[in-house]
Amino acid sequence: MKRILAMALLAFGAAGAAQACPDWRLEAAASYNLSGDQLRKAQGADVIAGGENYIWNCRGINPQSDQGAGYFTSNPDFRFFISDLERYQLVVSVISQCDSALLINTQSASWYYDDDDNGNLDPRIVLTRPISGQIDVWVGTYDGEYCDARLMLETFPR
């Protein structure tokens, strides 16, 4: 009986650990439907940057861009369904009151990370050839702190 209980606890613990990472399959805190044309004028949304999951403890997340420290929530902060992106570049950036970090999972299942490319310890990712569809975004922090932030999205013709 003890062995069965121990196995059950081990299995539950492993499942819990797997949930403690950014996961695009989880429900986002906010969802938006937009088009590449709408994003020619920058759009923004307020968010609390931060999270409890250290990104490099998460297997399966291998960003195609920068690699650095960052703490993120499990659920995406934002889920965007963006149409008509193929003729644009998509710029995703953060303006915050702390050292924020940005994590994106695109329609093509590619992960992107950035820490400081927007200046002032804020992140910025430019998707040069995005495809229309679902884009999940997490706004975290470099050091695990929490702060007020604003996520910005804007498109530019290629």
Side-chain angles (χ1 to χ4, degrees), residues 76-131:
D77 291 303
F78 300 98
R79 176 160 294 142
F80 298 100
F81 297 96
I82 306 177
S83 61
D84 302 320
L85 267 180
E86 285 72 18
R87 58 192 169 136
Y88 295 105
Q89 291 186 20
L90 176 63
V91 178
V92 183
S93 61
V94 176
I95 301 166
S96 70
Q97 298 177 0
C98 63
D99 190 353
S100 57
L102 182 61
L103 183 66
I104 297 174
N105 184 270
T106 65
Q107 175 69 15
S108 61
S110 296
W111 290 94
Y112 296 89
Y113 167 91
D114 187 67
D115 177 33
D116 293 333
D117 284 351
N118 202 34
N120 197 35
L121 302 178
D122 288 329
R124 179 177 189 255
I125 294 173
V126 178
L127 300 175
T128 58
R129 296 200 165 278
I131 59 174

Side-chain angles (χ1 to χ4, degrees), residues 2-12:
K2 285 183 183 180
R3 185 173 180 182
I4 293 171
L5 181 59
M7 293 297 283
L9 288 173
L10 182 60
F12 178 74

Side-chain angles (χ1 to χ4, degrees), residues 13-108:
Q19 288 293 335
C21 286
D23 188 341
W24 62 270
R25 296 168 294 191
L26 298 175
E27 185 175 338
S31 293
Y32 299 95
N33 291 308
L34 298 165
S35 71
D37 289 337
Q38 287 176 306
L39 291 171
R40 296 226 28 214
K41 179 180 179 191
Q43 304 288 318
D46 293 330
V47 64
I48 301 296
E52 63 283 351
N53 306 310
Y54 184 61
I55 190 68
W56 301 117
N57 290 340
C58 299
R59 288 184 283 180
I61 299 177
N62 299 306
Q64 305 295 311
S65 54
D66 289 350
Q67 295 189 1
Y71 290 83
F72 299 91
T73 59
S74 296
N75 296 59
D77 291 303
F78 300 98
R79 176 160 294 142
F80 298 100
F81 297 96
I82 306 177
S83 61
D84 302 320
L85 267 180
E86 285 72 18
R87 58 192 169 136
Y88 295 105
Q89 291 186 20
L90 176 63
V91 178
V92 183
S93 61
V94 176
I95 301 166
S96 70
Q97 298 177 0
C98 63
D99 190 353
S100 57
L102 182 61
L103 183 66
I104 297 174
N105 184 270
T106 65
Q107 175 69 15
S108 61

